[in-house]
Amino acid sequence: MTTRRTGTGESAAGGRPVSAPAGQGSTATEAVPLPGEPSSAPQAVPSGRARRERRRPPNWLLRLLTGVLILVLWDLGARMLESPFIARPLGVAQAVPEVFASERFWQDAWATIGSVVYGVLIGAAAGLVLGLAMGRIKLVRWFFTSYVSALYTLPMVAVVPLMTIWLGYTPETRLVAVALSAFLPIVVTTADGSRAIPKEYLDVARTFRARVHNIWFGIALRNAIPYLIAGLQLAIARALVTAVAVEFLAGVPGLGYSILQQTRSFQQNEAFVGVIVLTLFVVAARALLTVARRRFLPWYGR
Amino acid sequence: MTRSTTGPGAAPEGAAPPPATGPRVVVSGAGVRYGDLTVFDGIDLTIQDREIVSIVGPSGCGKTTLLRSVDGLTRLNSGSVTIDGRPVEGPTPGVSMVFQHFGLFPWKNVYNNVAYGLKLAKAPKERIAEVVPEYIDMVGLAGFEKSYPHQLSGGMQQRAGLARALAVEPQVLLMDEPFSAIDAQTREVLQFELLRIWETRPIAMMFVTHSIEEAVLMGDRVVVLKGRPSHIHEVIDVGIPHPRTRATLKSARFQEVTAHVWDLLMQDVIAAEREVG
Ligand SMILES: Nc1ncnc2c1ncn2[C@@H]1O[C@H](COP(=O)(O)OP(=O)(O)OP(=O)(O)O)[C@@H](O)[C@H]1O
Ligand SMILES: [Mg+2]
């Protein structure tokens, strides 16, 4: 009775299942992948052979060369200007051991990065709830959409001075500002993701008599995950900008504040180390998200 | 409709299936409107237990809409559908649907996709663990339980869609062009596999298709929808006993019925061409 997977046509149809190892298909990109309409149509899966045959260009090598080129141009430019106040690659490199040895630096780094991590977590959790509600409940959507999009376009920096009135020149101001700036992109993307559920999924759910909570948490939320990840990519970058801005504007101790102080006292090399560490943090966080997306959502393109 | 459901080879091992219990699905005076567009009107159709009714008709004549209203996904504007005597007011237990687009959840593997209906019906864990592998095996997907839909060919995805629909052990199975997105060879394989599955557990089936051959091969009766708004133009008794095999495709009766349905559908196409020409 059981006819095994020897369907004569099936192998002809290229139907061999491909054990697609997640995240092997391409290289890391820093660009934010904005989710399109997830398609439920069967997608062509490159067969194992095609996958192996595709020669991957040594991207890491190109990137390394680009990096070296930038450093060389930077150094040449600085030499030509002959200004002692311009940081140069070698000077920055030489400053690294000293900076890394200082306890203060790590305290500052953790203060800033920690506020971004916690702020994004808080903002994302809240954004997920409102986004899901906006995606699934028409009334909530009508009520909030204009406010959310207005706030979304507002640079958080503009309200930081106001926040200092309410919360003082404190790390709490930074945390709140960071959380708010992460909250908005998450609301927007999650609302899109939980609203744009392919009709097919809803038909299947209804046929099997799914209840509202099955649709919310079993389908809407799952469908929103790629959107959420795209939102997090945006949120982390925005959050860091806000954290540094608050430190500049409100003098809250952190890496941003140190960078400002060091620049003012002509320690441009030391300041640059801070800039690089912040950059590396964002790059690493976003790469981690890309890896997570490939690992957990392998069907979702690249 | 005279036919025997228990042809040679059709008797499953173990207990004999319960005897046929008369009409399962009764559609009477059914009509659906979308604004000014009346899709169909006055549809009367009865599907007996253990009967496969194929539905054919030109694109846009409302085949999907009819199936969806039996499934309780689309509301009728007039008339009624009853299943086992109870009026359909929404998705009904005991009714399953196989979709043209498969409708598998990409984030669930084959096992969990197949288990979906049982989980929503709050079936006990032990029962799910027992039933799901059985149906995965039945549709020939054993060994692919952990695969995700994107790792499967169209044919295999629809096998999973079929297993999901069967796993809740429905009395009525609705199929909306289940094989139309699948290549011709695989399609034929799946047609006969579906017939074999149906023979071990004969249930009422509505089978929508654009393929006349498929309609005749699968159906005990073929319903031809036509007109604007569309109505039942003719119901053809296929009169070919089960089990049906590849030899059925070559039989004189099969050719005859196919040619007849073909004529019914082509009349319109030819008329339309004349109007244009
Ligand atoms: N939700 C809807 N709103 C408005 N019109 C609809 C809706 N669903 C279907 N229709 C219309 O109803 C008619 C019948 O559609 P239906 O999908 O049932 O046809 P079909 O016979 O299944 O066609 P096909 O063979 O192409 O699948 C079409 O004209 C379609 O445009
Ligand atoms: Mg249709």
Side-chain angles (χ1 to χ4, degrees):
Chain A
M1 164 62 235
T2 49
T3 319
R4 290 301 165 126
R5 52 197 170 279
T6 44
T8 46
E10 214 135 324
S11 45
R16 198 149 50 91
V18 179
S19 56
Q24 271 206 350
S26 64
T27 52
T29 37
E30 278 81 54
V32 177
L34 278 174
E37 283 292 293
S39 120
S40 64
Q43 284 162 2
V45 181
S47 76
R49 193 157 43 86
R51 226 165 234 261
R52 252 174 280 124
E53 272 172 8
R54 198 195 302 146
R55 277 286 148 80
R56 294 178 50 191
N59 275 341
W60 60 271
L61 194 67
L62 290 176
R63 281 174 196 200
L64 197 70
L65 285 175
T66 316
V68 169
L69 188 70
I70 289 171
L71 288 179
V72 168
L73 287 177
W74 173 9
D75 196 63
L76 284 177
R79 268 170 210 273
M80 264 151 54
L81 289 169
E82 282 181 3
S83 160
F85 305 123
I86 293 179
R88 281 169 45 185
L90 211 58
V92 174
Q94 277 163 351
V96 168
E98 191 198 326
V99 171
F100 278 16
S102 101
E103 204 173 310
R104 167 84 195 283
F105 175 82
W106 292 113
Q107 276 169 5
D108 285 345
W110 175 242
T112 305
I113 291 172
S115 81
V116 170
V117 171
Y118 287 125
V120 167
L121 286 180
I122 295 166
L128 197 62
V129 173
L130 182 59
L132 192 58
M134 277 175 68
R136 298 312 308 162
I137 306 173
K138 229 180 234 165
L139 200 67
V140 177
R141 181 158 63 240
W142 281 344
F143 201 78
F144 282 99
T145 299
S146 1
Y147 298 104
V148 166
S149 38
L151 277 178
Y152 183 64
T153 48
L154 174 80
M156 208 42 66
V157 187
V159 273
V160 168
L162 287 171
M163 283 182 166
T164 59
I165 299 178
W166 305 320
L167 294 163
Y169 297 86
T170 58
E172 284 71 45
T173 305
R174 179 177 54 197
L175 187 66
V176 170
V178 166
L180 261 177
S181 59
F183 171 73
L184 291 163
I186 302 291
V187 173
V188 171
T189 51
T190 314
D192 280 351
S194 48
R195 189 183 174 187
I197 305 177
K199 196 174 147 292
E200 299 91 82
Y201 299 167
L202 292 177
D203 280 349
V204 172
R206 287 181 58 205
T207 291
F208 290 109
R209 293 177 307 126
R211 289 156 200 278
V212 172
H213 70 268
N214 298 129
I215 290 176
W216 272 52
F217 301 107
I219 298 179
L221 203 54
R222 288 309 300 257
N223 192 61
I225 287 178
Y227 295 77
L228 173 69
I229 290 178
L232 280 172
Q233 307 255 30
L234 287 168
I236 286 172
R238 287 179 135 226
L240 186 67
V241 170
T242 305
V244 170
V246 172
E247 290 174 16
F248 283 3
L249 291 169
V252 177
L255 213 46
Y257 184 66
S258 295
I259 289 169
L260 190 68
Q261 293 296 308
Q262 284 160 344
T263 314
R264 283 178 178 159
S265 53
F266 305 115
Q267 293 174 282
Q268 61 289 115
N269 289 333
E270 286 75 5
F272 232 101
V273 177
V275 170
I276 290 170
V277 166
L278 287 182
T279 311
L280 285 180
F281 163 70
V282 176
V283 170
R286 290 171 59 160
L288 204 67
L289 284 171
T290 307
V291 169
R293 183 166 51 88
R294 295 223 190 95
R295 174 78 184 75
F296 297 111
L297 311 161
W299 60 89
Y300 197 83
R302 306 253 149 85
Chain B
M1 290 158 298
T2 46
R3 67 185 172 74
S4 72
T5 41
T6 46
E13 62 276 50
T21 54
R24 276 279 183 215
V25 182
V26 178
V27 180
S28 48
V32 168
R33 259 179 288 117
Y34 288 115
D36 290 340
L37 172 79
T38 302
V39 181
F40 53 74
D41 211 359
I43 302 266
D44 294 306
L45 183 62
T46 301
I47 294 120
Q48 303 292 328
D49 190 30
R50 305 169 160 216
E51 186 189 23
I52 306 177
V53 171
S54 297
I55 297 166
V56 294
S59 199
C61 75
K63 303 180 294 296
T64 297
T65 308
L66 178 62
L67 221 55
R68 289 175 65 89
S69 45
V70 174
D71 197 29
L73 293 175
T74 296
R75 279 196 174 276
L76 291 175
N77 295 103
S78 56
S80 69
V81 177
T82 61
I83 287 169
D84 290 335
R86 277 184 297 273
V88 167
E89 262 144 22
T92 315
V95 181
S96 266
M97 181 125 148
V98 175
F99 297 89
Q100 178 178 9
H101 51 66
F102 317 142
L104 299 175
F105 297 115
W107 53 81
K108 288 184 192 289
N109 61 22
V110 166
Y111 185 96
N112 287 324
N113 265 300
V114 173
Y116 185 69
L118 289 166
K119 280 187 183 152
L120 283 188
K122 299 216 170 69
K125 272 208 184 74
E126 312 80 63
R127 172 142 181 80
I128 295 178
E130 185 192 321
V131 170
V132 171
E134 194 180 304
Y135 283 96
I136 288 179
D137 199 50
M138 186 182 283
V139 299
L141 279 180
F144 292 96
E145 291 84 355
K146 294 213 165 70
S147 302
Y148 285 84
H150 75 282
Q151 299 171 315
L152 303 177
S153 67
M156 293 166 90
Q157 290 187 45
Q158 194 56 298
R159 286 163 189 264
L162 180 61
R164 175 176 64 189
L166 292 171
V168 295
E169 313 207 316
Q171 278 85 50
V172 178
L173 184 60
L174 308 171
M175 306 192 91
D176 188 10
E177 301 188 40
F179 306 142
S180 66
I182 293 166
D183 67 281
Q185 295 90 337
T186 307
R187 181 177 189 152
E188 200 183 295
V189 171
L190 288 176
Q191 286 165 355
F192 286 108
E193 283 186 24
L194 178 61
L195 282 168
R196 297 295 89 80
I197 289 169
W198 178 85
E199 282 154 18
T200 56
R201 198 170 163 271
I203 54 177
M205 245 168 74
M206 287 175 82
F207 194 102
V208 167
T209 176
H210 268 286
S211 156
I212 293 166
E213 284 78 14
E214 187 172 76
V216 177
L217 175 66
M218 304 302 298
D220 297 310
R221 286 186 294 157
V222 177
V223 172
V224 179
L225 293 179
K226 258 167 78 161
R228 290 202 168 258
S230 58
H231 55 273
I232 295 184
H233 181 74
E234 194 172 320
V235 180
I236 298 113
D237 262 316
V238 174
I240 299 174
H242 290 272
R244 295 180 183 174
T245 61
R246 284 200 168 74
T248 307
L249 298 170
K250 299 197 179 67
S251 70
R253 178 67 187 156
F254 180 84
Q255 308 284 347
E256 184 191 339
V257 178
T258 311
H260 179 60
V261 177
W262 188 252
D263 283 344
L264 291 177
L265 289 172
M266 285 311 272
Q267 282 165 10
D268 280 10
V269 178
I270 291 164
E273 300 259 290
R274 287 222 179 96
E275 263 171 45
V276 174

